[in-house]
Amino acid sequence: DSDALPPESTKISSLAPNQFYKICPGQHTLSNGTHAPLGQPRCGDGTNYSFLVSRPEKQQQPSSPSKEKIFIEFSGGGACWDDLTCKLQSSWLTFPSWFNSVVGSSCSELGEMLLCAKTLGDTDFSEYTTVLIPYCTQDVHLGDEPNASYDGGSNIIQHVGAHNMYRTLKWVFDNFPDPSHIFLTGCSAGGTPLPVVY
């Protein structure tokens, strides 16, 4: 995607605070040319997958990896498992277009749409780096089947949510080796992988 950054060269320290960036993991291959394990992130229709990141409005003082707080939200949106359900859910097999409108916006501008500008109890999410994981594979973020077909092979569904999740979390782990807080949330299909992620 022309508006997405590559994860390998995008460090959290290079991003301006309180602004969402789109990061596209791309395909990952081994030296012998084969795909790396969980190295084929994309949407169910084969189009590019990206995740979104925003550094906190309130920076921790002093700034250090051990002071970092991370908020990770998994998007929901049902699932499909046969020809009928995948046809009904076909619009959910591509990158959700509304995420594109989030790029460049701040948490405060998005208001009620996201938690990142809110306080719940003693948790002030404006102190957290926010990572939004879109859902576009109809496999509750856990699929590892890039060539699923439910109609005899004419339509291929790429249930590779585990690839998307793993490559997103790898970027998080690389950029936050020792955070002080991690807050995980998700709704519907986005709630299902939380025990695995934890």
Side-chain angles (χ1 to χ4, degrees):
D1 289 355
S2 59
D3 60 344
L5 302 171
E8 293 81 7
S9 59
T10 303
K11 303 301 181 189
I12 189 66
S13 59
S14 69
L15 305 180
N18 200 26
Q19 175 180 337
F20 276 100
Y21 293 85
K22 186 177 178 184
I23 300 178
C24 182
Q27 305 289 302
H28 294 262
T29 56
L30 302 174
S31 58
N32 63 5
T34 62
H35 284 291
L38 300 179
Q40 302 177 64
R42 57 190 179 276
C43 289
D45 62 357
T47 56
N48 288 335
Y49 159 81
S50 296
F51 61 95
L52 280 77
V53 177
S54 176
R55 291 179 64 200
E57 179 180 1
K58 296 180 181 177
Q59 297 294 305
Q60 297 299 303
Q61 299 296 332
S63 181
S64 73
S66 63
K67 299 282 187 183
E68 296 285 359
K69 299 178 180 181
I70 309 165
F71 167 57
I72 302 173
E73 181 171 359
F74 288 80
S75 298
C80 74
W81 53 89
D82 59 22
D83 186 42
L84 175 61
T85 55
C86 285
K87 283 179 178 173
L88 290 172
Q89 295 287 93
S90 62
S91 64
W92 291 87
L93 289 167
T94 194
F95 188 80
S97 59
W98 81 268
F99 277 100
N100 290 320
S101 64
V102 172
V103 176
S105 299
S106 67
C107 286
S108 53
E109 288 173 323
L110 296 168
E112 295 299 314
M113 293 175 62
L114 301 171
L115 284 174
C116 59
K118 298 179 181 176
T119 298
L120 295 178
D122 295 332
T123 304
D124 181 357
F125 287 106
S126 66
E127 297 178 349
Y128 284 64
T129 291
T130 298
V131 179
L132 301 178
I133 301 183
Y135 180 50
C136 59
T137 50
Q138 290 297 292
D139 55 9
V140 297
H141 293 277
L142 296 172
D144 184 23
E145 176 48 73
N147 295 300
S149 177
Y150 303 108
D151 62 357
S154 60
N155 289 303
I156 301 298
I157 307 297
Q158 302 186 35
H159 290 307
V160 291
H163 298 238
N164 298 347
M165 176 174 66
Y166 175 76
R167 289 295 158 182
T168 300
L169 294 178
K170 184 180 185 310
W171 183 88
V172 172
F173 297 153
D174 288 346
N175 281 272
F176 301 96
D178 187 27
S180 63
H181 295 71
I182 300 174
F183 190 103
L184 300 173
T185 189
C187 177
S188 184
T192 303
L194 295 184
V196 176
V197 177
Y198 181 81

